[in-house]
Amino acid sequence: MRPTPAPRTALLASRVRFEEKRILEALDRRGIPRTLIDARTVHQHLDDGRPPWDLVLNREISATRALYAALTFEAMGVPVLDSAAAVETCGDKWRTSLALRAAGIPTPPAALALTAEAGEEAAERLGYPVVLKPLVGSWGRRVALLPDAAALRTVLEYCDALPSPQAKLVYLQSYVDKPDRDIRVIVVGGTPIGAVYRRSDEWRTNVARGSTTEPCELTPDIAAPAAAAAKETGAQIAGVDLVEDRDGRPYVLEVNHGVEFKGFQHAHGDRTDVAQEIVDRLVLEVNT
Amino acid sequence: MTTATQTCPECDGPLKVDDSVSASEVIECPECRSELEVVTTRPLLLAVAPEVEEDWGE
């Protein structure tokens, strides 16, 4: 029997971070032919044929470019991980909330208001303190924990002055009174492969904000909602963020496509290799 | 593994660049802390990395 040919893989990224380097190294270790494509150089014409790859690993840091690149390559017949649908859902906090709620996955109460004025009423119903987040964005940027209506009103005035129509929409989430940590679960191809606690001196626990990470036992209580959240958002390579309330009940906060796993990898060392899991569970499964 | 000594395009300070860097990789200047992007590897060409944009993230 002839061996199955390795899938010709394109890694799409305009910024090669720790994660992209690890994935490229893992592809090389498995002898998979790969091309690094700078998303800033991509132009695809309607009459162009199918690109010469069997799979695109979508690691583009710009959510807009990641979405349109995925839409394009999928239309040309090339599977993309994470897909356009996953980028669209995970890249928008309200769409994520809707997907989680529709599937009955525990997530904090949340609301979307279409104007600043409606945002004040929505916050009153949720109750203070309330967390205001931009619909699009990452690393905890412009995420605000607001203790009362006066603070909310002030921040909403700033949001209303932003040029993007989308930035004027108000996404609010109830604040979960949590320990000084949250949990990130990495899910690859539907399987949770590990988890870390992220601890911080401040309430935002993003690694990009300087949080520290340490291994977290992957118990069924967190593995099950994490796997379900990845499935419902369509993310094949997902970083699912959860918080526990004071009684230990987990809630899914968000699902990240194009997940960064530097902190996870440092916490787990050689015991779990995320890049290798991506290559072994997803890339090698592609039918060429 | 070898390194090449380059000049930071922001501060003109010296920095060592590992020969395993990839195009589009971002490195930090030890002198001025600027983020620098590897534009090409052959020849090795560095530029100040783009500022973070609103929709960047994971």
Side-chain angles (χ1 to χ4, degrees):
Chain A
M1 188 193 299
R2 281 197 301 175
T4 308
R8 297 161 301 170
T9 303
L11 189 146
L12 182 77
S14 60
R15 196 170 169 111
V16 174
R17 297 163 287 180
F18 169 90
E19 291 80 8
E20 285 72 39
K21 288 203 83 169
R22 295 280 297 215
I23 294 170
L24 291 169
E25 289 165 4
L27 291 166
D28 290 344
R29 277 198 297 278
R30 290 287 187 259
I32 295 169
R34 51 83 167 178
T35 307
L36 174 62
I37 298 171
D38 186 335
R40 294 167 296 186
T41 69
V42 169
H43 55 96
Q44 184 81 13
H45 297 246
L46 284 177
D47 295 329
D48 286 346
R50 178 187 160 122
W53 317 303
D54 301 309
L55 175 71
V56 172
L57 284 174
N58 190 2
R59 298 289 311 178
E60 172 51 27
I61 199 166
S62 154
T64 311
R65 286 197 293 253
L67 172 61
Y68 279 87
L71 286 170
T72 303
F73 294 135
E74 287 169 7
M76 300 285 169
V78 181
V80 180
L81 298 173
D82 279 314
S83 67
V87 173
E88 208 159 31
T89 303
C90 298
D92 182 306
K93 292 185 174 59
W94 183 240
R95 288 180 189 231
T96 301
S97 291
L98 292 171
L100 296 175
R101 176 49 55 93
I105 297 166
T107 188
L112 180 77
L114 301 184
T115 63
E117 187 181 16
E120 290 184 40
E121 290 186 25
E124 287 298 330
R125 273 184 58 194
L126 279 176
Y128 291 95
V130 71
V131 180
L132 174 70
K133 298 181 174 182
L135 282 176
V136 174
S138 206
W139 306 321
R141 283 173 304 158
R142 292 207 293 111
V143 172
L145 175 60
L146 300 163
D148 52 40
L152 175 71
R153 200 170 301 124
T154 306
V155 176
L156 289 180
E157 283 177 16
Y158 282 100
C159 293
D160 219 25
L162 292 170
S164 156
Q166 194 184 44
K168 299 180 198 302
L169 301 180
V170 182
Y171 175 87
L172 298 165
Q173 203 172 48
S174 283
Y175 177 67
V176 177
D177 183 22
K178 61 185 170 70
D180 64 340
R181 67 186 191 194
D182 74 358
I183 297 168
R184 163 153 300 182
V185 182
I186 306 281
V187 183
V188 178
T191 302
I193 63 167
V196 285
Y197 289 119
R198 305 187 301 181
R199 292 184 194 277
S200 176
D201 291 335
E202 69 154 308
W203 71 282
R204 289 176 296 183
T205 45
N206 306 81
V207 171
R209 310 206 76 84
S211 294
T212 57
T213 53
E214 58 190 77
C216 166
E217 186 186 351
L218 191 58
T219 62
D221 283 352
I222 58 172
K231 178 170 181 271
E232 292 305 322
T233 55
Q236 287 281 295
I237 304 165
V240 181
D241 295 341
L242 304 99
V243 288
E244 312 144 289
D245 65 14
R246 294 287 174 186
D247 297 322
R249 281 189 295 266
Y251 297 86
V252 175
L253 283 186
E254 57 188 68
V255 182
N256 298 278
H257 66 92
V259 56
E260 292 174 339
F261 50 83
K262 188 176 179 182
F264 178 100
Q265 205 59 71
H266 285 163
H268 282 274
D270 295 332
R271 290 186 298 279
T272 305
D273 186 332
V274 178
Q276 200 66 61
E277 295 280 352
I278 291 170
V279 170
D280 291 351
R281 289 177 185 270
L282 296 174
V283 178
L284 288 172
E285 294 298 312
V286 172
N287 296 316
T288 56
Chain B
M1 189 180 292
T2 58
T3 57
T5 302
Q6 289 282 306
T7 301
C8 172
E10 183 77 342
C11 73
D12 263 0
L15 73 153
K16 288 188 175 8
V17 182
D18 194 300
D19 70 351
S20 68
V21 291
S22 308
S24 304
E25 189 169 339
V26 173
I27 59 176
E28 188 179 273
C29 171
E31 297 254 336
C32 69
R33 297 293 179 207
S34 293
E35 286 196 325
L36 306 174
E37 178 182 336
V38 178
V39 180
T40 61
T41 54
R42 290 183 190 160
L44 184 59
L45 180 61
L46 303 175
V48 176
E51 293 288 325
V52 173
E53 294 182 25
E54 188 66 22
D55 74 335
W56 281 22
E58 59 171 344

